[in-house]
Amino acid sequence: MQKYLRIYHILLRLNFSALVTYRTNFFNAVIGSFVWGVFSMVSVLLLTSRTPFLFGWKREEIVLLTGVYSLFIGIFHFAFSRNFERIPIYVRLGTLDAMLLKPLDTQFFVSIFLINFASIIRIIIGSLVIWYLLAQTQTLVTISSIILFLLFLSAGIVLLYSLWFMVTTITIWYPDLSNIVEFLFSFSNVGRYPREMFARVNRFVFFFLLPLTFIVETPLKGLLDKLAPLEIGGLIGFASLFFLISRIFWKFALRHYTSASS
Amino acid sequence: MRYFRIFFLHFQQAFALRSRSMVWFLISLFNPVLFYIFWAGAYHEKGNIFTSWNLSNVAVYYILLVIAGSLLIVHIEEDVAHWDIQEGGLSRYILKPFPYIWLKFFEELPWRLIQGAFGIITFVVFRILLGDFLSVSLPLSIVILAVCIWIFAYLLSFFYKMILGISALWITDYSGLQQISEVVIVIFAGLLMPLEFLPDTVRQIATALPFSYIIYYPLVALQGKLNIVDMLRVIGIQSLWIIGLHFLFQLLWKKGVKLFTGIGQ
């Protein structure tokens, strides 16, 4: 464990050096992160502009959900997203070979190699919105609810990570499908909406989307002290299950990896 | 004939990579479906909140949006900015005896057609499943004008994205600009919701910009929400934007191509 923490620390330093070296790239990424952060807020304000109360949620609560989503997705993009974009490239160019030879867990290595510092902007935007709305609605937040929030936020990140990883693993067989990661960006948007919104859709579609409805809603309910036991079980259960499946699937996929040069 | 061959070669390539097109299409499909689920939920809970629209109109709008998103939103800008300008691939284009813009036009068109075909298939499937809920019946004159609006919308989208792409001749890394452009398009083109649902000020801005003529107006034209005079007005405005953007492209290209340095190509 200590070895992995040390490696992560080194990677943080290396990624920071890259950021300082390629400042224009970083500046552009910051603009992108800021624009999408603001967009998610603007879009939810526009969507809810006609109704102050929807799906059993007040308008401020839906905006708060988007704020938590911004914070959540900011952390996710900071730690993982860029790595998922690279996995199909490793497969196509055969550079995965070198990673497989390293005395490290390959899933760990391919998942954390690149760190996107620009996403801190989204974390800041999300945090500011949460802070502002909690203050506006005079919601009492206790230390225990903040701990619950952070705990469930981490579980949500594990769940989303596992879903992304499972889907990206498919590129071991089909490296041409590198754009599947772009689809995952859209797919994760489901977490921005209240679960109740999907209650009317086809049962199959609902169960397909169900895990994603836990990633942001459960941490928020933890913060607001509105958690039901089923909700806690749902998030923890899905996160553990999908993480396990993602590991098994990755190991299975590696058995079919043929390398680009062999 | 030569352009047809170029088109056909790129069509073969795009067809060979149809699984990639399928994924791009899924991206175009996912968000409209999500927005429709939102509005359908709101409709069932609050009754008719759309004033002049009913739920069937909203459903048709978002399903047509799947086709429009795949067919009309051109994605040539990354090719131009990243692969041609940043990576230097432009060298092999400027040596060819064809205008760069038309080579790119025939490179992009097959991808749009294949993804658009996925969209049309999806529409037909939904139409069979949902029956009259998705019915659209239009007189022939309206259909002909709507087809014109779709063709003009494609040209408008293409010239806009080409200008966005060649901005890399000045700024090299255009990704920040691209992100801003994407967000502006989502809000003002009608990808988020029909312009009628937007607050008044945002709607006024949207109608003053070219983006609503790429998505929103082609959709409402095909829904029969515009009369012949309105449609002719839309075609007129689209033509002005196309001429303006084409002129701007030529101007920027003439100045910008002198800045290009294809080192090592």
Side-chain angles (χ1 to χ4, degrees):
Chain A
M1 184 66 183
Q2 218 171 5
K3 180 173 89 171
Y4 285 97
L5 284 175
R6 210 174 60 240
I7 289 168
Y8 197 68
H9 184 240
I10 294 168
L11 286 171
L12 270 173
R13 273 209 334 251
L14 286 173
N15 276 277
F16 190 77
S17 304
L19 176 161
V20 179
T21 315
Y22 303 107
R23 288 184 292 275
T24 316
N25 260 354
F26 176 69
F27 183 67
N28 272 307
V30 165
I31 294 175
S33 191
F34 176 78
V35 164
W36 284 111
V38 171
F39 168 71
S40 61
M41 293 301 149
V42 171
S43 65
V44 80
L45 287 172
L46 290 173
L47 281 168
T48 54
S49 61
R50 287 171 169 260
T51 49
F53 192 84
L54 209 54
F55 313 118
W57 292 60
K58 283 187 230 152
R59 190 183 185 208
E60 313 81 84
E61 288 174 335
I62 297 178
V63 180
L64 186 59
L65 186 70
T66 308
V68 177
Y69 176 80
S70 253
L71 170 67
F72 173 90
I73 211 72
I75 298 170
F76 187 77
H77 289 339
F78 173 84
F80 301 116
S81 307
R82 279 182 63 196
N83 296 288
F84 287 106
E85 287 170 3
R86 298 292 301 174
I87 292 173
I89 300 172
Y90 298 146
V91 177
R92 200 173 63 240
L93 301 181
T95 43
L96 188 60
D97 300 9
M99 295 181 164
L100 289 168
L101 292 173
K102 287 194 167 58
L104 278 174
D105 183 276
T106 321
Q107 181 172 354
F108 168 81
F109 198 55
V110 297
S111 305
I112 52 100
F113 194 68
L114 296 167
I115 293 154
N116 182 6
F117 285 98
S119 290
I120 291 174
I121 298 294
R122 272 192 101 164
I123 299 174
I124 294 170
I125 292 174
S127 306
L128 286 175
V129 170
I130 296 168
W131 172 75
Y132 175 76
L133 284 171
L134 289 177
Q136 281 291 106
T137 51
Q138 294 178 331
T139 309
L140 186 69
V141 178
T142 60
I143 295 287
S144 64
S145 60
I146 292 176
I147 293 171
L148 271 182
F149 173 72
L150 294 175
L151 189 75
F152 292 128
L153 204 68
S154 313
I157 287 171
V158 172
L159 174 54
L160 190 66
Y161 163 83
S162 309
L163 292 169
W164 276 53
F165 199 79
M166 279 161 57
V167 175
T168 314
T169 300
I170 294 170
T171 56
I172 295 262
W173 287 278
Y174 305 104
D176 276 344
L177 293 185
S178 55
N179 57 345
I180 208 157
V181 180
E182 300 284 334
F183 175 69
L184 291 170
F185 279 96
S186 297
F187 186 60
S188 309
N189 270 333
V190 170
R192 283 173 54 189
Y193 300 96
R195 187 174 310 122
E196 294 77 2
M197 180 180 124
F198 301 98
R200 282 183 175 274
V201 297
N202 175 291
R203 210 174 296 167
F204 171 75
V205 178
F206 179 68
F207 281 112
F208 177 68
L209 299 176
L210 185 67
L212 279 172
T213 64
F214 282 94
I215 58 171
V216 177
E217 197 174 317
T218 310
L220 175 62
K221 286 187 174 168
L223 188 68
L224 301 177
D225 271 336
K226 286 182 178 173
L227 271 176
L230 194 68
E231 197 119 22
I232 301 170
L235 177 60
I236 306 285
F238 277 128
S240 318
L241 177 73
F242 281 109
F243 184 70
L244 191 69
I245 295 174
S246 77
R247 272 196 80 72
I248 294 169
F249 189 46
W250 173 247
K251 288 189 172 168
F252 172 74
L254 283 184
R255 277 194 259 148
H256 296 263
Y257 173 64
T258 50
S259 168
S261 52
S262 57
Chain B
M1 192 62 192
R2 288 190 305 171
Y3 283 114
F4 177 75
R5 286 210 178 142
I6 293 169
F7 166 78
F8 191 65
L9 279 172
H10 286 292
F11 187 86
Q12 281 179 319
Q13 190 202 5
F15 193 73
L17 294 172
R18 56 193 175 277
S19 52
R20 271 183 80 78
S21 286
M22 186 67 198
V23 175
W24 288 126
F25 166 70
L26 286 177
I27 298 169
S28 305
L29 173 76
F30 197 76
N31 282 326
V33 169
L34 210 54
F35 292 138
Y36 174 70
I37 293 172
F38 180 90
W39 290 118
Y43 180 85
H44 287 299
E45 205 174 295
K46 298 280 167 189
N48 196 356
I49 54 170
F50 314 124
T51 54
S52 59
W53 291 56
N54 58 34
L55 191 59
S56 165
N57 293 154
V58 177
V60 173
Y61 182 87
Y62 280 109
I63 292 187
L64 287 176
L65 181 57
V66 175
I67 304 176
S70 316
L71 189 66
L72 301 180
I73 304 273
V74 170
H75 292 289
I76 197 71
E77 72 279 19
E78 192 180 341
D79 241 33
V80 173
H82 183 75
W83 296 110
D84 291 353
I85 296 170
Q86 218 176 330
E87 298 285 323
L90 188 61
S91 310
R92 53 193 174 87
Y93 285 99
I94 48 183
L95 292 174
K96 285 178 184 161
F98 297 99
Y100 176 65
I101 192 164
W102 294 114
L103 284 174
K104 292 317 259 186
F105 183 84
F106 288 107
E107 233 179 85
E108 175 68 5
L109 189 59
W111 290 92
R112 296 298 109 232
L113 292 176
I114 290 174
Q115 287 168 40
F118 285 133
I120 292 167
I121 293 167
T122 307
F123 183 83
V124 172
V125 170
F126 276 111
R127 177 73 176 83
I128 292 165
L129 290 175
L130 300 174
D132 283 346
F133 186 63
L134 292 183
S135 67
V136 183
S137 60
L138 300 170
L140 187 65
S141 56
I142 295 280
V143 174
I144 292 167
L145 285 175
V147 170
C148 290
I149 289 177
W150 278 62
I151 293 169
F152 279 46
Y154 183 85
L155 290 171
L156 182 49
S157 172
F158 177 75
F159 287 126
Y160 169 71
K161 290 296 184 82
M162 283 300 291
I163 289 171
L164 190 63
I166 61 164
S167 69
L169 286 164
W170 286 270
I171 57 175
T172 313
D173 183 357
Y174 87 122
S175 56
L177 194 61
Q178 189 215 16
Q179 310 272 356
I180 295 170
S181 162
E182 262 189 61
V183 167
V184 168
I185 290 177
V186 170
I187 295 176
F188 295 115
L191 288 166
L192 189 62
M193 60 180 93
L195 298 192
E196 274 89 347
F197 300 0
L198 290 170
D200 288 344
T201 326
V202 185
R203 190 169 57 237
Q204 280 164 6
I205 298 170
T207 44
L209 293 171
F211 311 111
S212 55
Y213 296 92
I214 297 173
I215 293 291
Y216 172 74
Y217 285 108
L219 293 187
V220 289
L222 212 52
Q223 282 189 280
K225 283 186 175 290
L226 299 179
N227 58 37
I228 290 183
V229 177
D230 286 338
M231 292 175 98
L232 289 172
R233 191 183 56 85
V234 169
I235 291 172
I237 296 171
Q238 281 179 318
S239 312
L240 288 177
W241 275 114
I242 291 168
I243 293 165
L245 290 179
H246 184 255
F247 177 73
L248 183 62
F249 173 83
Q250 296 295 354
L251 192 77
L252 292 174
W253 174 250
K254 265 184 199 162
K255 284 184 186 289
V257 80
K258 290 176 192 156
L259 303 172
F260 176 69
T261 46
I263 297 166
Q265 290 292 319

